[in-house]
Amino acid sequence: RNTPKTSSAASDVYKRQKMKKERIQMKEKIENANKMKVDAKKEAEALMQDLEKRAQDKLVMEKDEMNHKLEEFRNSLIQSKERVISIQTALIEEKDEKIKEALKKQLKDLKGKQDALENKIKFSEERLK
């Protein structure tokens, strides 16, 4: 019964089958494109999560490094203050004026270094907040 009676009818059947086949192929192409879109979105999300994790890890490392430097600055400041005390004690005990002048100069230099260290500590603490 599906056998066409005329060549025009055969041509119509052929055209309908061809169009049906093209619609199916188009539908498959759209489905594939949608799958690729979903896969690309998942991949992009995974990459973003990886980047965020790396950035977070880097921040943690930088914070640890800053804490370490801060501790070094504090230790240097403590040593400097101890040195100031020993110089002040030596100044009290020293009789020779030339040595006293040299000690006063050392004291002045140390106090300048202490100020610089205190500023570094303050700056580092602010950056860590």
Side-chain angles (χ1 to χ4, degrees):
R1 180 148 204 199
N2 283 342
T3 313
K5 306 258 185 289
T6 66
S7 67
S8 174
S11 175
D12 287 348
V13 168
Y14 173 76
K15 284 179 185 174
R16 278 196 302 271
Q17 287 174 342
K18 186 177 177 187
M19 285 181 70
K20 185 177 179 183
K21 193 175 184 182
E22 286 174 355
R23 277 196 303 272
I24 290 170
Q25 287 174 341
M26 191 57 74
K27 203 174 189 180
E28 287 173 353
K29 284 181 181 178
I30 290 170
E31 286 172 3
N32 286 338
N34 285 335
K35 283 180 189 174
M36 288 173 66
K37 196 166 127 182
V38 167
D39 290 346
K41 189 175 181 183
K42 284 180 185 175
E43 191 176 329
E45 286 172 355
L47 284 171
M48 284 303 293
Q49 287 176 345
D50 183 51
L51 281 174
E52 287 171 3
K53 181 167 178 7
R54 285 183 186 189
Q56 196 64 35
D57 291 348
K58 187 176 180 189
L59 278 175
V60 168
M61 284 176 54
E62 286 174 354
K63 194 170 183 178
D64 288 348
E65 194 175 305
M66 285 290 292
N67 278 323
H68 180 71
K69 282 183 180 178
L70 187 56
E71 195 59 35
E72 286 178 355
F73 292 153
R74 287 182 178 143
N75 289 337
S76 294
L77 185 59
I78 291 169
Q79 289 172 353
S80 180
K81 286 182 177 185
E82 289 170 349
R83 182 81 178 114
V84 165
I85 292 169
S86 71
I87 290 174
Q88 286 172 333
T89 305
L91 262 173
I92 293 169
E93 296 169 355
E94 186 57 55
K95 303 288 183 238
D96 187 333
E97 284 303 315
K98 284 185 180 178
I99 294 176
K100 274 189 170 188
E101 287 305 313
L103 288 172
K104 285 180 185 176
K105 185 182 180 321
Q106 276 187 340
L107 200 56
K108 184 180 175 190
D109 291 346
L110 274 174
K111 289 197 177 190
K113 287 179 182 176
Q114 279 183 6
D115 289 343
L117 278 170
E118 286 169 350
N119 286 337
K120 283 182 179 180
I121 289 170
K122 192 169 134 186
F123 176 73
S124 296
E125 286 173 339
E126 287 173 6
R127 280 191 59 197
L128 282 171
K129 288 180 182 175

